[in-house]
């Protein structure tokens, strides 16, 4: 009778363990909205803008980390490893939709301006990336696998062109919007003089 009871308990434990595994495998990770008032890059401690450069990852234990540049997310992965990442996301450069990191297409050129001057832009598909390169006349298409062996150097010249807080003062490299940053971080209307 003891063998029968032990066998039943063993079966119950195996079933419970199986259910735990199934539940864990079914975990869904979703990209969280960016809140510019409180979101700070987990690496450089700069404000995470609600723009095309924002990236994020969620660990398997539910911790969410946001970054102002894909290069900062790469640095986090280098420092913390990737085994505990449940999902990582980048945003499409054109429409800011969240894309799984592994499914995105990337364009790299050292001259491309990004918040921390890593020069990598994210696109939801290869045709969008190719269209950007055709329009801009610069860039190399990369995949997530290619990024694994990328050198991740920052373009110090582009860093000098960024605002003191590490972000471009005028968006996607376009001309100014009539505002400029002051030392205290306040916006000031250009006088035109």
């Amino acid at each position: 009778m003891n063998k029968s009871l032990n066998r039943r308990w063993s079966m119950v434990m195996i079933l419970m363990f199986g259910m735990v595994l199934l539940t864990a495998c079914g975990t869904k990770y979703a990209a969280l909205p960016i809140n510019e008032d409180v979101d700070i890059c987990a690496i450089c401690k700069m404000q995470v803008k609600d723009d095309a450069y924002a990236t994020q990852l969620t660990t398997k234990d539910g911790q969410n980390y946001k970054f102002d540049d894909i290069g900062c997310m790469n640095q986090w992965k280098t420092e913390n490893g990737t085994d505990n990442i449940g999902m990582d996301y980048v945003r499409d450069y054109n429409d800011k939709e969240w894309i799984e990191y592994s499914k995105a297409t990337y364009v790299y050129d050292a001259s491309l301006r990004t918040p921390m001057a890593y020069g990598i832009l994210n696109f939801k598909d290869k045709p969008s990336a190719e269209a950007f390169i055709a329009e801009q006349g610069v860039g190399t298409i990369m995949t997530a696998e290619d990024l694994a062996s990328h050198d991740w150097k920052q373009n110090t010249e582009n860093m000098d062109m960024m605002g003191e807080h590490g972000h471009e003062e005028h968006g996607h490299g376009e001309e100014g919007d009539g505002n400029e940053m002051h030392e205290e971080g306040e916006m000031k209307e250009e006088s035109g003089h």
Side-chain angles (χ1 to χ4, degrees):
M1 197 185 281
N2 240 354
K3 274 188 175 181
S4 177
L5 187 58
N6 282 341
R7 203 173 288 153
R8 285 183 188 160
W9 275 110
S10 295
M11 289 301 290
V12 167
M13 293 304 287
I14 289 170
L15 287 172
M16 288 178 66
F17 183 71
M19 289 182 70
V20 167
L21 282 178
L22 286 174
T23 303
C25 292
T27 301
K28 299 287 182 194
Y29 301 97
L32 300 177
I34 299 297
N35 181 343
E36 291 185 356
D37 293 333
V38 298
D39 288 336
I40 302 297
C41 178
I43 292 297
C44 70
K45 308 303 181 207
M46 301 292 181
Q47 176 188 28
V48 177
K49 296 278 193 180
D50 189 17
D51 62 15
Y53 307 110
T55 65
Q56 65 179 285
L57 62 83
T58 302
T59 59
K60 291 176 183 174
D61 60 2
Q63 295 292 314
N64 182 268
Y65 297 92
K66 295 178 182 171
F67 309 93
D68 64 342
D69 189 300
I70 191 171
C72 289
M73 183 165 72
N74 178 72
Q75 185 176 338
W76 187 96
K77 290 177 180 181
T78 300
E79 293 173 4
N80 296 283
T82 58
D83 291 343
N84 192 37
I85 295 175
M87 187 58 67
D88 44 1
Y89 293 96
V90 296
R91 280 184 130 168
D92 179 70
Y93 182 77
N94 294 316
D95 65 17
K96 297 193 312 182
E97 286 183 30
W98 290 108
I99 316 157
E100 290 180 25
Y101 176 86
S102 63
K103 294 180 180 178
T105 301
Y106 301 91
V107 172
Y108 167 74
D109 192 86
S111 69
L112 295 174
R113 290 185 180 181
T114 64
M116 296 307 291
Y118 285 98
I120 298 174
L121 303 178
N122 326 303
F123 295 88
K124 63 180 145 198
D125 53 38
K126 191 172 181 179
S128 299
E130 289 170 339
F132 176 86
I133 291 172
E135 180 182 307
Q136 298 299 315
V138 297
T140 302
I141 291 184
M142 300 179 80
T143 64
E145 292 80 23
D146 296 330
L147 292 180
S149 60
H150 183 63
D151 64 10
W152 293 99
K153 290 182 182 175
Q154 290 175 294
N155 182 338
T156 55
E157 289 179 20
N158 277 357
M159 288 292 288
D160 294 340
M161 292 181 204
M162 299 298 193
E164 74 169 25
H165 294 95
H167 290 275
E168 269 188 279
E169 295 174 9
H170 304 300
H172 290 206
E174 298 167 3
E175 288 303 313
D177 61 0
N179 294 321
E180 60 183 20
M181 283 299 239
H182 263 250
E183 287 181 345
E184 295 83 28
E186 298 170 6
M187 297 299 283
K188 178 185 171 190
E189 216 39 52
E190 281 184 349
S191 65
H193 296 289

